[in-house]
Amino acid sequence: FGRDLIRNISIIAHIDHGKTTLVDRFLDITGTVEHRRMKDQFMDSMDIERERGITIKSKPVKLNYTARDGKTYEINIIDTPGHVDFNYEVSRSLAACEGAILLVDASQGVEAQTVGNTYLAIENDLELIPVLNKIDIPNANIEETLAEIVDLIGYKAEECLLASAKTGEGVVEILEAVIERIPPPSGDILAPLKALIFDAVYDKYRGVVVHVRVFEGSVRGGDRIMMMSSREIFEVIEVGYFLPQMVPTDSIDAGEVGYIIAVIKEVASAKIGDTITGATNSTPEALPGYRVAKPMVYAGMFPGMPEYYEELRKALDKFKLNDAALVFEPESSPALGFGFRVGFLGLLHMDVVRERLEREFEITCILTAPNVVYRVTMNDGTVREITNPASFPEPGEFAKVEEPFVELSIITPSDYMGNLIGFITTEKRGEFKAVENAGKNRVVMKFVTPLSEIMFDFFDRMKALSRGYASMDYDIIGYRESNLVKVTILVNKETVDSLSFIVHVDKEYAVAKKVVDKLSELIPQHQFQIPIQAKARGRIIARSDIKALRKDVLAKCYGGDVTRKMKLLEKQKEGKKRMREIGQVTIPQNAFLAILRIG
Ligand code: GTP
């Protein structure tokens, strides 16, 4: 293959606009995957991905496409994850390409992540091909969607293609446009190796498989390579392409996309965004953009039974082999015993990890309510990063607290603008920044809000307030000071550290009240009354009681022996007291996530 016959592209879209379906169609048309092996959503191979219908991990694939000009081209497609939790992966995938297909569902219009991802692509200097998808749907709104693309993204309507990834209509035209409009890769094949890592996965049999885009030089089996961020050196065992299964080849050269297998023990050694070069013949300068994917959200993870602690640790260790973004350290909680404090990229990431632990490792664990990372400046000037509300300092011990803020973009039909602005500014501590028209009867609004406010109960409320039409995207913009307090929860007068949470001082009472009420619903009745209390800044600010289950002791008495009756009542009282002293309250798992369902 001459390099002018290569095209490296990504597909960017808002979630559910049809990326995976389009790639499936490409595989189909080019005969890359035989018909009989083709099943819907071939590219989404992780079980969870198929069930939820979302793409979590980027996967590359190489197509051989014979175009109308009679030449056969190699098109490398790097599928990108659509969820904002995985934005960093989107950005790295884009850096590996010269161009992208911008896919917009014509029945939904341009949505928040369409715009967000377009900016990422433009930052990476990519040539974009706008495509309206799902034109087979009867209520597809082609004219309005075109107008939105023109308004929001700045393309001419004539530059946009119309297609249906489902029926295949217009799909060949997309491939032709890729050949015509997207430039082939450049880069000196004789220069020292320079390859971008855009993904790395752990394979049970082969160890770490590194997904790379080679920008300069070439790499072959037997080469010694170096990771530029850590200067670790590895020997290459095999290189190859994705069809989409791995197919070995002699070398991958400047301009190409493929995989490298070396003796790498854990995925953490192959960091997404890092540059690989030769161990001896090295390039002086790494490719731009290596950044550690930093966990934004932390939660406690505890084994259901203490004897499963070791198993949970092993599972997390194994999990980390394949997911460098996951971090964890041991944590011990007076209430829940030994477990881990685990850091995630976002709530979806957390959910996926928990679900995969259950499915693949058959481990059930108690997960506590997630929180963001707080930055606390103590009175003596030292700065602490707080990942666990239980270790939040007491009032008087610190000078200020900061929390992460985001710039939030919401695209919505203008009818719901008022609802959404009201909700975000009064309930979510948001600051309204700007509004702009986006096509006919739609607007883009910008807000600045704390990250913690959009994590809990935000998405569903936004959808409800806009009848499902609004979409959102956000970017973390850094830390800002907030007046935050810690609320601790006492169950039966004992502090349950794992139920503590941090809240803005203005919401202290309201949230505390909702949490104690929710807990009193979720914790089952016991033989004795259980007070649930919330405490902040040294005083109790809310309380809710769970009534005792009245055991019908008197049923055992036949008739009127008063002394016997008295004795029994006495015994029951003692029983209650003993229980209370031991403090044996069964708190079910969902109680630990009670805060998640509170606005
Ligand atoms: P993520 O990977 O989660 O970001 O989603 P995606 O963009 O890959 O979307 P996906 O391909 O999973 O498609 C979402 C839904 O739209 C699926 O139910 C598809 O069958 C459907 N779909 C995709 N393309 C078309 C199309 O052209 N016409 C119609 N009618 N449905 C489509």
Side-chain angles (χ1 to χ4, degrees):
F1 268 99
R3 256 175 317 154
D4 54 338
L5 295 179
I6 299 175
R7 299 292 182 274
N8 295 314
I9 64 162
S10 252
I11 304 177
I12 54 179
H14 191 79
I15 197 152
D16 277 352
H17 282 203
K19 269 183 330 222
T20 309
T21 311
L22 182 64
V23 176
D24 286 348
R25 206 74 319 113
F26 285 162
L27 293 175
D28 212 7
I29 287 178
T30 58
T32 306
V33 179
E34 289 166 52
H35 272 285
R36 62 189 160 78
R37 285 187 48 221
M38 193 73 205
K39 51 186 160 184
D40 268 353
Q41 308 267 319
F42 186 85
M43 291 299 290
D44 281 349
S45 55
M46 226 189 272
D47 275 354
I48 299 185
E49 293 191 338
R50 201 166 293 149
E51 275 164 35
R52 298 190 174 204
I54 52 168
T55 307
I56 289 157
K57 270 293 202 185
S58 325
K59 287 174 215 72
V61 63
K62 183 170 99 132
L63 309 172
N64 285 330
Y65 172 65
T66 305
R68 287 190 184 130
D69 64 11
K71 295 184 201 153
T72 299
Y73 292 84
E74 166 184 329
I75 303 177
N76 294 302
I77 300 179
I78 298 169
D79 192 19
T80 56
H83 192 276
V84 64
D85 276 10
F86 303 96
N87 249 353
Y88 183 61
E89 290 189 19
V90 176
S91 166
R92 287 307 89 201
S93 302
L94 293 178
C97 305
E98 278 76 33
I101 295 169
L102 172 67
L103 202 61
V104 182
D105 180 336
S107 67
Q108 302 291 318
V110 170
E111 298 199 68
Q113 278 158 38
T114 319
V115 181
N117 287 334
T118 302
Y119 287 139
L120 288 178
I122 291 170
E123 275 165 31
N124 282 295
D125 289 327
L126 298 196
E127 189 65 44
L128 287 184
I129 302 174
V131 175
L132 268 64
N133 187 33
K134 307 200 190 181
I135 56 165
D136 60 294
I137 297 186
N139 69 342
N141 208 332
I142 296 174
E143 289 310 310
E144 277 181 27
T145 307
L146 280 175
E148 288 163 10
I149 293 182
V150 172
D151 272 12
L152 282 176
I153 306 177
Y155 282 88
K156 297 198 191 83
E158 307 78 74
E159 293 174 283
C160 302
L161 303 179
L162 306 183
S164 163
K166 190 169 180 181
T167 65
E169 187 185 347
V171 173
V172 169
E173 276 63 38
I174 301 176
L175 290 169
E176 289 292 323
V178 166
I179 305 301
E180 265 168 46
R181 297 195 212 168
I182 292 173
S186 55
D188 184 357
I189 194 169
L190 298 172
L193 175 65
K194 210 179 208 180
L196 172 74
I197 302 179
F198 62 86
D199 203 2
V201 298
Y202 186 79
D203 181 290
K204 229 188 307 189
Y205 306 105
R206 325 231 28 203
V208 176
V209 180
V210 190
H211 299 189
V212 294
R213 155 71 197 269
V214 179
F215 280 87
E216 283 174 12
S218 60
V219 57
R220 52 183 66 235
D223 283 356
R224 281 158 55 79
I225 53 168
M226 178 170 76
M227 306 295 175
M228 286 193 77
S229 70
S230 63
R231 310 203 76 77
E232 270 184 283
I233 290 174
F234 300 98
E235 187 174 322
V236 177
I237 297 170
E238 179 184 306
V239 299
Y241 301 114
F242 298 97
L243 289 174
Q245 76 282 13
M246 296 192 288
V247 177
T249 180
D250 288 344
S251 75
I252 28 180
D253 304 329
E256 292 187 302
V257 172
Y259 67 85
I260 297 177
I261 295 175
V263 196
I264 303 174
K265 291 218 175 57
E266 48 183 284
V267 171
S269 299
K271 300 184 179 72
I272 294 180
D274 200 2
T275 303
I276 298 182
T277 190
T280 43
N281 187 14
S282 356
T283 176
E285 220 180 300
L287 293 159
Y290 170 61
R291 181 182 67 134
V292 184
K294 211 173 171 241
M296 296 311 302
V297 175
Y298 280 79
M301 213 181 242
F302 296 87
M305 312 257 249
E307 48 280 32
Y308 294 129
Y309 176 82
E310 247 333 276
E311 250 176 76
L312 179 59
R313 190 184 59 74
K314 279 193 196 134
L316 284 168
D317 271 336
K318 262 208 185 127
F319 207 98
K320 193 168 168 60
L321 289 176
N322 208 358
D323 187 347
L326 185 78
V327 300
F328 60 93
E329 54 180 46
E331 168 184 4
S332 82
S333 145
L336 295 177
F338 290 102
F340 299 92
R341 196 82 200 153
V342 188
F344 307 94
L345 295 174
L347 290 196
L348 176 70
H349 187 209
M350 177 175 102
D351 234 29
V352 166
V353 171
R354 185 192 49 76
E355 210 170 306
R356 288 188 54 197
L357 281 176
E358 278 177 12
R359 249 183 235 211
E360 292 163 34
F361 299 91
E362 286 169 13
I363 283 186
T364 45
C365 48
I366 291 177
L367 198 62
T368 66
N371 55 268
V372 300
V373 182
Y374 300 96
R375 194 184 281 163
V376 180
T377 307
M378 304 300 288
N379 287 335
D380 63 7
T382 53
V383 176
R384 286 195 202 160
E385 294 221 321
I386 306 286
T387 56
N388 186 347
S391 50
F392 199 81
E394 294 305 320
E397 291 179 351
F398 59 88
K400 69 168 177 183
V401 194
E402 293 161 294
E403 63 177 327
F405 274 70
V406 300
E407 186 188 72
L408 173 69
S409 314
I410 294 193
I411 298 189
T412 178
S414 5
D415 291 353
Y416 308 113
M417 217 175 117
N419 278 357
L420 291 168
I421 294 177
F423 165 59
I424 294 166
T425 57
T426 60
E427 292 182 46
K428 294 294 178 183
R429 295 195 278 141
E431 201 186 317
F432 176 70
K433 287 293 188 189
V435 61
E436 213 182 289
N437 284 325
K440 210 171 120 207
N441 298 328
R442 288 179 102 206
V443 291
V444 191
M445 298 190 284
K446 303 263 187 216
F447 299 87
V448 169
T449 67
L451 173 63
S452 63
E453 296 286 348
I454 60 167
M455 269 178 18
F456 301 139
D457 183 45
F458 186 89
F459 188 77
D460 293 345
R461 294 284 305 279
M462 175 191 82
K463 286 288 185 195
L465 289 170
S466 64
R467 300 194 176 200
Y469 285 115
S471 63
M472 65 179 276
D473 193 25
Y474 64 85
D475 271 324
I476 306 235
I477 52 174
Y479 274 80
R480 295 192 181 177
E481 192 171 351
S482 281
N483 195 354
L484 302 174
V485 290
K486 170 164 85 173
V487 178
T488 33
I489 298 292
L490 291 84
V491 175
N492 208 20
K493 310 269 179 185
E494 281 189 42
T495 304
V496 182
D497 56 326
S498 307
L499 290 172
S500 305
F501 58 93
I502 309 295
V503 68
H504 191 265
V505 73
D506 292 348
K507 295 184 170 185
E508 181 188 33
Y509 290 97
V511 174
K513 181 66 185 143
K514 282 189 190 160
V515 170
V516 294
D517 286 350
K518 190 87 201 164
L519 286 171
S520 64
E521 268 170 40
L522 295 172
I523 297 173
Q525 282 185 309
H526 287 58
Q527 300 300 333
F528 47 91
Q529 171 171 311
I530 307 168
I532 314 275
Q533 297 160 297
K535 189 173 162 189
R537 292 183 287 176
R539 52 204 215 297
I540 301 293
I541 58 169
R543 170 176 179 144
S544 182
D545 290 340
I546 304 172
K547 292 216 166 48
L549 264 182
R550 232 188 111 83
K551 217 202 253 163
D552 202 357
V553 281
L554 300 183
K556 287 194 186 120
C557 314
Y558 311 103
D561 186 341
V562 176
T563 38
R564 190 152 173 232
K565 224 183 227 174
M566 288 302 289
K567 255 192 199 147
L568 269 168
L569 283 172
E570 209 50 45
K571 227 173 151 184
Q572 192 190 31
K573 219 157 116 197
E574 259 206 11
K576 279 199 235 172
K577 217 164 87 197
R578 205 161 48 233
M579 293 287 270
R580 208 176 285 152
E581 275 162 14
I582 301 163
Q584 281 208 354
V585 178
T586 326
I587 304 178
Q589 152 76 68
N590 57 355
F592 290 96
L593 296 173
I595 178 93
L596 265 182
R597 287 183 284 272
I598 286 164

